[in-house]
Each structure stands twice: as structure tokens, then as C-alpha cells.
Amino acid sequence: MTIDRNRIRELCAREDARFIEERPRSMELLEKARTCMPDGVPMAWMVSAYHHAPMFVAEGDGAYFTDVDGHRYLDMNLADTSMACGFTPQPVVEAVAAQMRRGSQFLLPTEDAIAVAEELAGRFGLPRWQFTLAASSANTEVLRIARAATGRETILLFDGKYHGMLDETLLTLVDGEPRPEGLGLPKEAGRRTRIVQFNDLAAAEAALSDSAVACVVVEPALTNVGGVISPEPDFHAGLRALTRRFGSLLILDEVHTHVCAFGGLTRAWGLEPDIVVLGKALGGGIPIGAYGMTEELARFMEGTAGGEGEAADWTVRFAMRVATGGTMFANALSLAAARATLEHVLTEDGHARTAALGERLADGIEAAIRRHGLSWSAYRLYCRSGYCFAPKLSRNALEAQAVADIPLTNLMRVYMANRGVWEALEGEGPAASFAATAADIDLYLDVFERCLADLVG
Ligand SMILES: Cc1ncc(COP(=O)(O)O)c(C=O)c1O
């Protein structure tokens, strides 16, 4: 069954009007905020991510948050997975409060850094770790390490990727060429970046074959274009073989996917990256980015200082190291939060329980799609299951973009918001929170079902 476009427009107009009408306090705050912040928001994404006016939040608890007009939402966006552990996970709240009382930042290591690095090493199979404040800065650093370690400048990415706010990855293919995908990016940003389609090993081979590529950056599954795009069975093994053959490093961006399984998809799928990048949910709500690397790369980072006794002048020593770091990176508070998150929330049991919720979500979505005779499909990726507006799942960004339906996605989001469910951002997909229960997933499915009924009815 196809959905009548007029029906989408009508329903969206009705739901948008209701959204505004039922949120007078948010709209009042927005007016006030416009006088002191562009678009009335402290960070521009907060307005560009939604087709309706942004809403002001009062508080969150578990898998729910409440807006300033008193509406409560089941959170299926998880602040783009950064709040996958739920709002206010108690062990993290307590660890953060205790660390705050003892001092949050010293520009010196605390013991928690060792605990977190050891725990991540055990989970992800990479022995040595560094910490930042966000995944974007972790990705910035790993590109530099890869360039310094290989002596090459070019990087290879996959169409539909998102790796954060880096000039050289904020690129999109225009007529087959990487072009900056936002204002303010240098026109030449794409000069040393190659982009090919996900799941296309022949294209990856062609891009790597001149041995000019320092590193390939890839997510285990694409998670920023059309929900989730899964790798074909031989994709990661093939990519690993190619990177080894042509001397490029393999960087796995698990910033979104590490919440899927204990040790991320790296461990679940037996992947063998040279570097793995984490962030978002790792701090249980406190900012942190992290990357793990092989012993060989760690030695390279140490060795670039020129060896013992040499370069005693610190300015020379600094210049000879890979350009990494930031004043607040790896602060005591981030690491106390990450330790508590790993020990108490992102546990083997927590991952297994949340993955089961993801299966329940996919089963329910599939059943609802069938009941309403829609030619959509459901994808499954542990806690991160969702739906796609086509009978067949996409293999790459081109296919995902061809079936994307922004007006329909906008309607579904606002429809669900008006009924107490905060759906994922456009291009992403819903995800189960570690704080959610089966009853919460059923609430989502009930609202999803009502939305489909209204759409086809
Ligand atoms: C796969 C991936 N990598 C990196 C990032 C950058 O994360 P952050 O915005 O926390 O720096 C994102 C953000 O959405 C992401 O989805």
C-alpha cells in the first residue's frame, strides 16, 4: 500500500499545530531565547534537527524526560545515543557527585583513567587508550596519528558516514567528488579525502590501491543515514584484508554502535581494527571521547618525542609529538563517570537485556507494518532496531537516500511527540535505552501503530 501524500501533509499540519498549541511555556522561552542566541538555541543543531520549533526540557529520569510544559516523553532518540544509559543512572550520579566534591580536573591523571583504559582494553581487544571530551575530537586525533604513523595524507570514508565536526570528514559526494557539506568549511577540505559506497569492496580496493591512503574510517554498520545499514557478510573481513595489503590503518568508529554489545560490534563481530573510537554514552551523560590503539601505534606515539635524553627543551619535545590533547580532555570527572558507567550500566547483563528490547522493537515494528499492508521493512541491530520505508533494506547511502522520506519522517516524529514518545532524529532510527523496560517498548509500538493507522486510514 502507498501512502497518500496529501494525507501526510494534512496530518503534519494538524500535528504541528497541536505541538505548538500544547507547549506555551516552551514557545514563550523560545521567544526570550531568540534575543540572546541565534535561533533561540545554545547550539544550532537543536533547531536544525527538528522541523518544528525546539522544545525546552525541564528534567529527565530513566528512559523518560519532561518538557517545561509538563509533557512526559519516552525517549527513543537517546540524545542521538549519547543518553543510552538513561537519564540519571544512579551509580553515575553518585560517582560524579563524589568526584565533584574531590575536584573535577587537575590536568594530571587519576586512578580512574587506568581502570577505564584497562576495562576498555579487555572489552575491545586494543591495549592502549586516550581520552578526549567528544568523539569528534577523538576522530580528529586518530586521523593525525594515522597520518603521522603512515607518512600518508589521504583518508578513505564511506558515503553516508558521519564522524563528527571535522573539516575533512564533513564532506558529501557531488558528481562523484567529495565537497564540503556545510558553510564555513574550507573549499579544499575534500582534497585529501576519498569516499566510496559502503559494502563496495571493489570501490574500496580501487581507492586504496595506490597506497596513498593513511587510514580508512568506517562504522561497523552505518548509523547516520536511513536508520541502520548493515555490512554484508564479507565486507569487514574484505576491508581488513585490503587495508593490510595496501598499508592503510583501519579505524573503526564505534561511537554509536558500542552500546549494541559488550565490547561493541568490534567484539561481537570479531573485527580487528588498528584503532577504535568511542564516545557519547561511554560517560553515562558526562562528556567523553576515547580511542583505543594497538601496541605498535602506542609505541609510535611515545617514540615520536625523539627518545630518552633527546629534545630536552619542552617546546621541541611538544613539536615532535603527534598533535593531540586539550586542557579539559581526560579530566577526572569524565573518567569517574566512564568508570561507573562501565562497571554498573554498560555491563554484559545490561547489554544483553537492552539487545532483547531491540529485538522486541523490531518484531513489533514488523508486525505493525504487516498489519497495515505497508511495503516497509524493519532492520535489526541489537538495541538499535528500526524501520525503513522500502520492502528491501538499503546496502549503501545511495539506496538509503533514494527511499528516504523527509515529510513522512517529520510527520511521524511530531505525531509521536504529541503522544508522549520522542522519536529518533531524521536519518537515524529509534533505539532502546538501557533504562527502558519491555512495557516502554510496547508503549512505543502502540504509538507507532496508531500513527500507521492514521496514515493509511
Ligand atoms: C558515528 C559517529 N562518530 C562520531 C560522532 C561525533 O560525536 P560527537 O558529536 O559527540 O563529537 C558521531 C555523532 O553523531 C557519530 O554518529
Side-chain angles (χ1 to χ4, degrees), residues 45 79-82 132-139 161-166 217-224 253-257 277-281 288-289 384 425 428:
W45 270 14
D80 200 14
T81 77
S82 63
T132 64
L133 270 188
S136 294
S137 33
N139 274 328
K161 71 342 176 224
Y162 179 70
H163 297 297
M165 280 290 156
L166 292 68
V217 187
V218 64
E219 282 188 275
L222 290 186
T223 60
N224 285 293
D253 182 336
E254 282 242 53
V255 172
H256 270 172
T257 53
V277 178
L278 309 178
K280 298 206 179 188
I288 190 165
R384 181 104 194 245
L425 300 177
E428 316 274 323

Side-chain angles (χ1 to χ4, degrees), residues 332-353:
L333 193 68
S334 297
L335 286 153
R339 182 177 187 170
T341 302
L342 290 168
E343 285 177 358
H344 301 286
V345 188
L346 298 177
T347 57
E348 283 194 86
D349 280 358
H351 279 289
R353 214 184 53 76

Side-chain angles (χ1 to χ4, degrees), residues 126 138-147 155-158 163 214-220 236 239-240 243 248-254 266 272-278 291-292 297:
L126 286 165
N139 274 328
T140 303
E141 296 194 354
V142 302
L143 291 187
R144 294 189 186 147
I145 293 170
R147 285 184 169 135
I155 62 170
L156 176 63
L157 310 175
F158 292 91
H163 297 297
C215 62
V216 177
V217 187
V218 64
E219 282 188 275
H236 282 295
L239 193 59
R240 182 65 276 197
T243 48
S248 306
L249 295 176
L250 182 62
I251 297 173
L252 203 57
D253 182 336
E254 282 242 53
T266 306
E272 295 175 9
D274 297 297
I275 294 179
V276 69
V277 178
L278 309 178
Y291 53 95
L297 286 170

Side-chain angles (χ1 to χ4, degrees), residues 229-242:
I229 299 180
S230 292
E232 287 177 346
D234 59 348
F235 178 66
H236 282 295
L239 193 59
R240 182 65 276 197
L242 286 173

Side-chain angles (χ1 to χ4, degrees), residues 19 23-42 46-47 50 52-59 65-71 73 422:
F19 185 87
R23 288 161 185 79
R25 178 75 184 131
S26 260
M27 299 310 135
E28 197 184 304
L29 288 176
L30 182 61
E31 275 320 298
K32 190 168 175 209
R34 281 202 171 109
T35 64
C36 54
M37 293 175 282
D39 283 325
V41 287
M46 290 178 186
V47 75
Y50 312 105
H52 51 68
M55 189 181 75
F56 281 70
V57 172
E59 59 186 24
F65 68 91
T66 306
D67 70 20
V68 290
D69 288 286
H71 304 286
Y73 305 88
W422 198 245

